[in-house]
Amino acid sequence: MAGNKENCPPVEACPVQPARAFASTSREEQEKLIAGSVSKNTKKCTDYWMRLLDEFAKQRLGHSNLETIGLEELSDLIASFYADARTKMGTSFSKSSLLNARGAFQRHFSSLSKFRDIDVYHGRDFRRANSLLDGALKARKEAGEEPAVKHKEPISTDDWKKLKDYFGDILTTTDAVKLTYYVWFHITLHFCLRGGETQCKLAKKDLEFSSVDGKEVVRLATSFVSKNHQGGIKGTDWSSAGVISDEQQVKAVKLYLAKLHPDVDRLFQRAISAGKFSADVQCWFMKSPLSHNLLSGMMKRLSSAADLSVPYTNHCVRATSITNMKRSGVEDRRICSVSGHRNIHSLEAYDRPTTKDSCAIAAAIDRADDVDAVSKPAAGASCDAASSTGSADSATVPTAMAPYLNSAAATFTNSSIVFNIHHGHAVEARKKLKRKRSSD
């Protein structure tokens, strides 16, 4: 019978699913994760400006317990701070410093329950403070008290040649320090790394070898926290699209990896004090990674070792990479994929003339007699004589333009150079000639 359970085949028991294993974090560990949502540099910046505001409040209010004062009093205090804050040397803070201070105040007070909805940037209660800040910065600019922004210079052409000479024997060298300099320099150059914060975290596994069109290249396989890409809920993830493709550079990276201490995962390690070894020695490095401070000053030490004209900083290597890409005509969006910039307008700072270019421009300005010679067509000359077109080998270059064409910023290959020097009469004559040809 259909209802007889005795005739039904036995039903296999379903396997019991094991209980899901969840992690168990303590309250202290959770607080550490919350604190880690803000970068160390941002936290340092906030702590610094809050210490100054506390010190300022002690002088103006007689106490530094800012959590007990009202919003209006806090706004007046911050407004006075913008106007009266001074450095230890007694000078006014720069524009960027005061803007950093405003950001620090916003981060600190918005984290307090009493001022949770505070808006130091656009809030109605802080209109006076922001107007005072704006007016103080404009008055300082008008008085000539605001120093010009100093951008890091890229490595000059002459120093670039010195570096090439210094690293000429890199594949046969037994100098562990020089090999470290070489690998560090090209990793920083091709991946546009900032400072020593990211470099100090790099591990051996973060370098990935792959083949592109039969050519071996080195990539950065890990996405790190950077200034513009903090990760998290609102942040973006980014890893540099740069690669190391030069054959000598790839071989040097492989040699370096082969000589590292096997028990240390970090990429940059301290060289054994002996300095130079036989090529047969397996390990050239100690069981100790390079510190943040050592990596932060890497380019300064390399500048001294290679006898460069000036002591460059780590950021100069990054500036060199971006400047070279700009001058080679690489699209801005592709440069950003290597450098990590979120806004292409940030690249404008790297499209500035170098000190050498500025000297060439100054020399061109001083050649007033040459400018007159090339800008005024000879009497009786035809309109076409005012325009000279030809190959780079045969074109006649005006003397005033020579500094630009001799500079590293203007190197032309298989190109045509066209100089159009127009004056009112020449332009009008050309228009008449075009109209005549079209009517014919």
Side-chain angles (χ1 to χ4, degrees):
M1 296 177 59
N4 191 350
K5 295 182 179 180
E6 295 179 357
N7 296 329
C8 296
V11 178
E12 294 183 3
C14 296
V16 178
Q17 295 292 334
R20 188 183 299 273
F22 292 100
S24 178
T25 57
S26 64
R27 184 75 177 181
E28 184 180 355
E29 291 173 329
Q30 291 175 3
E31 291 300 325
K32 284 184 179 180
L33 290 174
I34 293 173
S37 63
V38 180
S39 71
K40 290 181 180 179
N41 288 338
T42 302
K43 191 175 184 303
K44 284 182 182 178
C45 176
T46 304
D47 292 343
Y48 171 78
W49 288 110
M50 286 310 303
R51 284 198 304 271
L52 260 63
L53 186 64
D54 287 345
E55 186 179 342
F56 186 77
K58 284 180 181 179
Q59 294 183 12
R60 297 299 170 93
L61 304 178
H63 67 86
S64 61
N65 193 2
L66 302 180
E67 298 181 17
T68 61
I69 66 177
L71 192 59
E72 184 178 353
E73 192 176 5
L74 177 63
S75 175
D76 290 340
L77 178 70
I78 290 178
S80 299
F81 182 88
Y82 290 153
D84 301 334
R86 294 293 184 269
T87 66
K88 289 182 178 180
M89 304 297 294
T91 58
S92 301
F93 282 102
S94 66
K95 175 182 177 180
S96 60
S97 296
L98 290 176
L99 294 180
N100 284 337
R102 186 171 65 162
F105 299 153
Q106 173 65 32
R107 286 190 296 272
H108 175 78
F109 289 111
S110 62
S111 66
L112 305 177
S113 57
K114 180 179 179 179
F115 301 114
R116 184 170 296 170
D117 298 325
I118 197 173
D119 187 356
V120 176
Y121 297 108
H122 309 293
R124 179 178 299 178
D125 298 303
F126 290 89
R127 282 181 181 174
R128 180 176 177 276
N130 286 314
S131 296
L132 194 151
L133 174 60
D134 187 50
L137 292 176
K138 287 180 178 178
R140 204 171 297 164
K141 186 81 171 178
E142 188 175 352
E145 297 176 359
E146 187 68 30
V149 178
K150 294 182 179 180
H151 296 281
K152 295 295 184 182
E153 288 269 344
I155 299 171
S156 68
T157 306
D158 292 338
D159 284 337
W160 191 266
K161 291 177 181 177
K162 286 184 179 180
L163 281 173
K164 281 195 170 183
D165 292 340
Y166 175 69
F167 290 131
D169 63 342
I170 198 61
L171 294 182
T172 57
T173 186
T174 55
D175 188 338
V177 175
K178 180 186 280 192
L179 183 59
T180 302
Y181 282 151
Y182 185 84
V183 172
W184 172 88
F185 179 80
H186 286 95
I187 285 177
T188 304
L189 183 74
H190 288 280
F191 301 139
C192 281
L193 300 182
R194 282 186 175 92
E197 192 170 352
T198 300
Q199 298 168 6
C200 144
K201 297 175 183 175
L202 281 175
K204 302 171 188 174
K205 63 179 178 58
D206 295 326
L207 295 184
E208 179 182 81
F209 292 85
S210 59
S211 179
V212 177
D213 296 331
K215 189 174 185 179
E216 192 171 27
V217 300
V218 183
R219 301 180 186 274
L220 196 59
T222 308
S223 175
F224 290 96
V225 170
S226 67
K227 176 183 174 182
N228 296 326
H229 304 275
Q230 295 289 332
I233 298 174
K234 296 181 180 179
T236 55
D237 292 326
W238 167 85
S239 59
S240 176
V243 298
I244 297 175
S245 60
D246 180 79
E247 185 178 358
Q248 175 177 287
Q249 295 169 18
V250 173
K251 286 182 178 179
V253 172
K254 284 187 169 183
L255 174 63
Y256 176 76
L257 291 173
K259 298 300 181 181
L260 289 176
H261 198 288
D263 297 335
V264 180
D265 292 331
R266 286 265 295 275
L267 180 62
F268 296 114
Q269 302 175 9
R270 194 182 298 269
I272 295 176
S273 56
K276 296 184 179 181
F277 311 88
S278 166
D280 298 332
V281 177
Q282 183 62 34
C283 182
W284 292 359
F285 295 87
M286 302 168 62
K287 195 176 179 179
S288 173
L290 289 180
S291 66
H292 177 275
N293 290 340
L294 282 173
L295 285 169
S296 296
M298 202 72 158
M299 191 59 206
K300 285 186 178 180
R301 289 193 298 279
L302 174 55
S303 300
S304 176
D307 195 25
L308 304 186
S309 60
V310 295
Y312 293 99
T313 65
N314 288 10
H315 197 82
C316 291
V317 184
R318 176 178 166 85
T320 301
S321 177
I322 299 172
T323 301
N324 287 351
M325 286 189 282
K326 288 284 287 183
R327 291 180 175 180
S328 299
V330 180
E331 295 179 19
D332 286 348
R333 62 186 182 87
R334 296 191 182 277
I335 296 177
C336 289
S337 71
V338 177
S339 67
H341 285 98
R342 289 185 296 182
N343 192 332
I344 60 174
H345 296 296
S346 302
L347 301 176
E348 293 174 2
Y350 299 94
D351 199 20
R352 298 165 54 86
T354 63
T355 303
K356 191 172 182 179
D357 294 336
S358 297
C359 291
I361 293 171
I365 293 172
D366 290 336
R367 293 192 181 101
D369 52 342
D370 291 341
V371 173
D372 289 339
V374 297
S375 62
K376 294 180 181 178
S382 64
C383 299
D384 290 338
S387 177
S388 171
T389 305
S391 66
D393 293 328
S394 61
T396 302
V397 180
T399 308
M401 296 298 295
Y404 302 104
L405 299 179
N406 290 334
S407 69
T411 302
F412 302 93
T413 305
N414 299 326
S415 303
S416 295
I417 305 174
V418 180
F419 294 103
N420 292 317
I421 307 170
H422 291 153
H423 283 266
H425 295 296
V427 173
E428 186 61 30
R430 180 165 293 211
K431 288 181 180 178
K432 288 181 180 179
L433 183 59
K434 285 184 178 180
R435 287 197 293 269
K436 183 178 179 182
R437 287 175 178 173
S438 61
S439 62
D440 293 342

